Amino acid sequence: MPRPYTLFTGQWADLPFEEVAKLASGWGYDGLEIAVSGDHLDAWRWDEPGYVESKLAVLEKYNLKVWAISNHLKGQAVCDDPIDFRHEAIVGAKVWGDGDPEGVRQRAAEEMKHTARLAKALGVDTVVGFTGSSIWQYVAMFPPVPAAVIEAGYQDFADRWNPILDVFDECGVRFAHEVHPSEIAYDYWTTVRTLEAIGHREAFGLNWDPSHFMWQGIDPVSFIWDFKDRIYHVDCKDTKLRPTGRNTVMGSHLPWGDPRRGWDFVSAGRGDVPWESSFRALAAIGYTGPISVEWEDAGMDRLHGAPEALAALKKFDFPASQTSFDAAFSSKS
């Protein structure tokens, strides 16, 4: 059975929810990964009479489904230190409040709990998002950072996220963390340490997005296999690498689309992600969830890019074999 394809609405939150649904349906998407952003979803309204039903009615009108929702922006503020002007621009007035950093973190945590409740009300079992990090600021490890400070960062993550995950457990919903620079888990070994910090509890898994692996030098295919029991969701975004000796992986504080960058996000199929090998690996671990297109390309019009990305990915995808690998090999023994 083919995997469903969804469009992540985070990059479309400037448009009304129904307009995005209409566009996605016309392009041939099966559903939406709906962001808690703009008028698409408001987690604080999870128990408001008629609210969830109104969103489901829009999906039904355009013959779309929802398998996952996301709340990256508020999740970012749960652990971040410092909390500053960057967060004010993304978390909204309710979470920002008076801007007191700890107050922002607490309100962000409360919204993440509401997001789990909203997911349950929508009939969805997966929430995709970020965690934030109090130790990302030390990524260069200079000036020197004592090991105790790093350990304290993982403990801070566990202390702040375990109560959130308790609500996820109560709701029967899983959190799929997007492994991403600026988060507590941003590469291979930080993912290992993050899972250890919360005792490998099942409520916390991973959103596989290869675009962030490519410029860091992480093999996206091996990552699928090594964390096969934690791949709860898949987002597809592509990255084009172009290091020149002057253009570097650090980006040089240059904006997206600047040709002096050593890498950039591009429409899926136009970059360096090994999509076919990745889809084969997903099939091998038994992943049957949605393939969500997170469209992002500073050099291309999104109304052209979103349908193009869907077509490009489908060329690499294929139905998984009905015969398991174990059975296939055992029959030859």
Side-chain angles (χ1 to χ4, degrees), residues 168-198:
F168 273 73
D169 279 335
E170 291 169 9
C171 295
V173 175
R174 309 177 302 179
F175 183 74
H177 168 59
E178 186 169 331
V179 178
H180 184 294
S182 81
E183 310 307 321
I184 193 68
Y186 60 87
D187 63 8
Y188 186 96
W189 294 115
T190 56
T191 299
V192 171
R193 294 186 73 177
T194 295
L195 293 171
E196 291 172 349
I198 53 170

Side-chain angles (χ1 to χ4, degrees), residues 295 297 299-306:
W295 192 86
D297 188 325
M300 182 186 293
D301 185 276
R302 62 184 178 178
L303 296 179
H304 172 85

